[in-house]
Amino acid sequence: MERVRVKVKKIHPNAVIPQYKTSGSAGFDLYAIEDVEIQPGETKQIRTGLIFEIPEGYEIQIRPRSGMSLKTPLRISNAPGTIDSDYRGEVMIIAENTSIVPFSVEKGTRIAQGVLQKVPQAEFIEVEKVSETERGEGGFGSTGIK
């Protein structure tokens, strides 16, 4: 398995350096470093206390944890979020409470997961015409539901 070195700086004593829980894990957990109460319908940033130095040509995608999505009203608002290789600020998780009651995130909660991904950059070439396909301009359910 390919290993990519990613430098991590803790900027808060409660921050947890990520690790993979199993040998087959694609994602590593990100932890809340403080208690946060999110009101119904409210969206808040949740601090991780971590800064990453991601190698050029990679990103870290921020994704929900399946158990959190199944068992709580908390949703990662911009999933998947992207942490670019040139970003050097604290990684924050943007979370929304979809419930009608307040939801509390406790310090130490595994709030989201990160996935390291290669990201090639496109070379955009302006043209007068693009090739035709069988699908054409069909979208938004044009292929049916069954």
Side-chain angles (χ1 to χ4, degrees):
M1 175 175 297
E2 179 184 0
R3 297 270 180 192
V4 177
R5 289 181 164 243
V6 176
K7 296 177 182 176
V8 185
K9 179 180 179 181
K10 289 174 65 170
I11 60 169
H12 191 279
N14 294 334
V16 177
I17 299 296
Q19 57 181 303
Y20 295 95
K21 293 293 184 185
T22 68
S23 62
S25 294
F28 50 86
D29 292 327
L30 295 166
Y31 295 76
I33 61 167
E34 57 195 7
D35 295 334
V36 178
E37 183 168 283
I38 306 174
Q39 296 302 314
E42 184 179 33
T43 300
K44 277 193 172 177
Q45 290 181 326
I46 299 174
R47 296 185 60 203
T48 66
L50 299 173
I51 296 174
F52 291 88
E53 185 176 321
I54 304 164
E56 189 172 331
Y58 289 85
E59 69 168 336
I60 291 178
Q61 292 182 359
I62 305 300
R63 301 180 182 179
R65 297 186 70 247
S66 58
M68 183 71 71
S69 293
L70 178 65
K71 298 173 183 175
T72 76
L74 206 62
R75 300 294 175 266
I76 306 299
S77 301
N78 64 328
T82 292
I83 310 300
D84 295 305
S85 64
D86 59 351
Y87 176 68
R88 291 297 184 275
E90 180 179 4
V91 169
M92 308 272 236
I93 308 304
I94 303 171
E96 176 187 6
N97 177 3
T98 61
S99 176
I100 59 170
V101 297
F103 183 80
S104 294
V105 175
E106 295 178 6
K107 175 178 63 176
T109 299
R110 293 182 292 162
I111 194 69
Q113 63 180 321
V115 176
L116 183 69
Q117 292 284 307
K118 284 187 179 182
V119 285
Q121 286 191 336
E123 179 182 348
F124 298 101
I125 303 165
E126 184 177 3
V127 297
E128 294 296 322
K129 185 178 178 179
V130 295
S131 63
E132 294 184 22
T133 66
E134 183 179 329
R135 179 179 178 177
E137 295 181 18
F140 300 100
S142 66
T143 60
I145 58 172
K146 290 189 177 189

